[in-house]
């Protein structure tokens, strides 16, 4: 019957992990084929009898001396305590270094206490860890970029709201007061100086035109309806002003955060502008759906064919707006089949 002691060398010869045994002097007295192959040797007998320290790492990776007295792999022969490292480098026969992870334990031998060491090539593990760190760093950079982009969009939206309010409460109100004054003056001079009426009427018309232009400018910067009534009514008003017949469907049963409403409003506005400029469409359909996320669809029946070449097409800004709010955007535009822009944005409860 085969004993465990007789069976053990056969077992170690068959395992894929490199294993060897060094005596109390640090000389290799056994090594399995996996260890020999990993170091670039044809046969295990080429290693046996050699100093394990001088064989594996006579110098450090940076080329500095590495005394055997500092070798932790051999320490168990003197201390009786198992040692371990996940951050070591071994030297191949061809002179190249490779990263390793090893365990070294004391073992009682006929000539005194030695060590048994099992180790593995850590090249793949380190490559995986490096790729993981790079991926995590890229994700962090992307997250920080999105956060910065969102802050910029929110800051711009706040400036737009304030500018629109200032125009309404400041310049526009002054023009309204001027218009009222001109109309009152017209009534007073109608009988006393009728020859001045054409001049007054012209001034009234100019003041009214300035008010109308200012209102359009303020609406373009930030529509007052968006602030007072919310996204859906503002989109209805936007659709009513569109040069292309536009239908709006869907409803929102609650107000959304101001930054989300502003972002989505200008997202839809830019999509409609792109359709008016480039699509040759005769119809635009806008759909708003709110469940866990806000889903916005802008579809036209134009010529399509925008493909994935978004640079210079006006669609880069749409993707940036959606990405800044951790959303997703898809653009479908077969040639001759119209364009469908669909954006999904998370909305705080």
């Amino acid at each position: 019957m085969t004993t465990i002691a007789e069976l053990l060398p056969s077992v170690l010869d068959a395992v894929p992990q490199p294993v060897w045994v060094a005596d109390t002097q640090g000389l290799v007295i056994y090594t399995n084929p996996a260890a020999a192959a990993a170091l670039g040797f044809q046969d295990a007998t080429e290693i046996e009898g050699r100093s394990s320290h001088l064989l594996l790492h006579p110098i450090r990776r940076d080329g500095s001396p590495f005394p055997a007295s500092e070798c932790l792999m051999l320490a168990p022969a003197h201390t009786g305590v198992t040692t371990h490292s996940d951050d070591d480098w071994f030297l191949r026969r061809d002179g190249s270094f490779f990263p390793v992870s090893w365990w070294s334990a004391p073992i009682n031998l006929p000539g005194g206490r030695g060590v048994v060491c099992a180790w593995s090539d850590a090249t793949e593990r380190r490559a995986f860890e490096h790729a993981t760190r790079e991926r995590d760093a890229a994700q962090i950079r992307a997250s920080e970029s999105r956060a910065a982009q969102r802050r910029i969009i929110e800051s711009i939206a706040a400036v737009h709201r304030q500018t629109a309010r200032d125009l309404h409460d400041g310049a526009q109100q002054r023009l309204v007061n001027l218009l009222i004054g001109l109309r009152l003056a017209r009534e007073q001079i109608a009988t006393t100086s009728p020859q001045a009426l054409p001049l007054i009427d012209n001034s009234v018309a100019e003041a009214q035109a300035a008010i109308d232009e200012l209102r359009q400018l303020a609406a373009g910067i930030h529509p007052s309806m968006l602030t007072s009534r919310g996204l859906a009514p503002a989109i209805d008003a936007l659709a009513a002003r569109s040069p292309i017949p536009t239908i709006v469907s869907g409803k929102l049963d609650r107000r959304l955060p101001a930054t989300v409403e502003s972002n989505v409003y200008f997202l839809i506005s830019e999509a409609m502008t792109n359709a008016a400029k480039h699509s040759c469409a005769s119809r635009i359909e806008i759909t708003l759906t709110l469940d866990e996320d806000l889903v916005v669809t802008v579809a036209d029946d134009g010529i399509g064919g925008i493909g994935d070449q978004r640079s210079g097409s006006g669609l880069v800004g749409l993707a940036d707006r959606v990405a800044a709010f951790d959303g997703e955007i898809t653009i479908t535009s077969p040639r001759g089949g119209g364009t469908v822009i669909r954006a999904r944005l998370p909305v705080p409860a």
Side-chain angles (χ1 to χ4, degrees):
M1 180 177 179
T2 304
T3 65
I4 295 296
E6 294 171 333
L7 185 61
L8 188 57
S10 299
V11 173
L12 293 178
D13 284 351
V15 298
Q17 184 177 23
V19 178
W20 64 24
V21 178
D23 64 14
T24 188
Q25 303 297 323
L27 303 179
V28 178
I29 60 174
Y30 166 80
T31 183
N32 69 348
L39 295 175
F41 291 92
Q42 296 295 323
D43 190 87
T45 57
E46 298 180 75
I47 297 176
E48 293 173 2
R50 300 175 60 175
S51 166
S52 65
H53 178 73
L54 294 179
L55 183 67
L56 295 179
H57 37 210
I59 57 174
R60 292 186 171 88
R61 192 185 177 205
D62 61 5
S64 60
F66 189 5
S69 58
E70 298 178 9
C71 181
L72 294 179
M73 287 184 64
L74 299 178
H78 310 290
T79 64
V81 179
T82 298
T83 55
H84 168 65
S85 176
D86 278 329
D87 188 25
D88 205 347
W89 295 80
F90 285 177
L91 194 64
R92 291 191 182 92
R93 187 179 188 179
D94 62 8
S96 62
F97 279 96
F98 65 101
V100 293
S101 175
W102 56 260
W103 288 88
S104 183
I107 183 173
N108 291 322
L109 301 171
R113 188 162 57 192
V115 296
V116 56
C117 182
W119 50 275
S120 57
D121 189 332
T123 302
E124 291 186 1
R125 174 177 62 81
R126 284 186 171 232
F128 174 77
E129 291 174 350
H130 177 74
T132 301
R133 287 193 299 270
E134 289 293 316
R135 180 202 63 198
D136 293 344
Q139 290 176 344
I140 291 172
R141 288 194 297 270
S143 178
E144 291 175 346
S145 177
R146 288 194 301 271
Q149 193 173 24
R150 180 168 183 167
R151 288 193 297 271
I152 291 172
I153 291 177
E154 291 175 346
S155 176
I156 292 173
V159 171
H160 283 181
R161 287 193 298 271
Q162 185 61 50
T163 302
R165 283 196 298 267
D166 290 344
L167 288 174
H168 178 273
D169 298 339
Q172 181 177 313
Q173 191 58 47
R174 294 173 73 90
L175 284 172
V176 169
N177 292 338
L178 173 63
L179 181 61
I180 294 172
L182 288 171
R183 286 174 175 169
L184 291 174
R186 186 186 188 284
E187 293 178 2
Q188 293 180 6
I189 67 172
T191 56
T192 59
S193 302
Q195 68 277 8
L197 288 180
L199 181 60
I200 294 294
D201 289 341
N202 184 63
S203 298
V204 168
E206 288 294 328
Q208 185 62 60
I211 292 172
D212 294 340
E213 290 180 3
L214 196 60
R215 284 174 177 166
Q216 291 178 1
L217 176 61
I221 294 174
H222 190 86
S224 59
M225 186 177 292
L226 183 61
T227 302
S228 61
R229 298 183 56 190
L231 180 60
I235 296 301
D236 288 336
L238 182 64
R241 298 193 303 270
S242 173
I244 301 176
T246 301
I247 297 175
V248 181
S249 60
K251 62 178 182 179
L252 305 179
D253 56 5
R254 61 185 172 91
R255 290 294 301 269
L256 306 178
T259 54
V260 174
E261 288 188 338
S262 177
N263 194 43
V264 173
Y265 176 88
F266 287 104
L267 171 75
I268 295 174
S269 177
E270 290 173 24
M272 293 175 65
T273 299
N274 290 336
K277 288 182 177 179
H278 309 293
S279 71
C280 302
S282 61
R283 177 187 177 92
I284 296 176
E285 294 184 6
I286 301 172
T287 305
L288 302 173
T289 305
L290 179 61
D291 40 42
E292 293 182 356
D293 297 329
L294 174 63
V295 180
V296 179
T297 304
V298 181
D300 66 61
D301 62 353
I303 59 176
I306 63 172
D308 293 328
Q309 303 302 319
R310 300 181 183 179
S311 59
S313 66
L315 299 178
V316 174
L318 303 184
D320 289 344
R321 281 189 177 277
V322 174
F325 283 73
D326 296 323
E328 300 175 352
I329 187 170
T330 57
I331 300 175
T332 305
S333 184
R335 189 170 298 278
T339 298
V340 178
I341 299 173
R342 187 173 186 271
R344 176 181 291 273
L345 295 95
V347 178

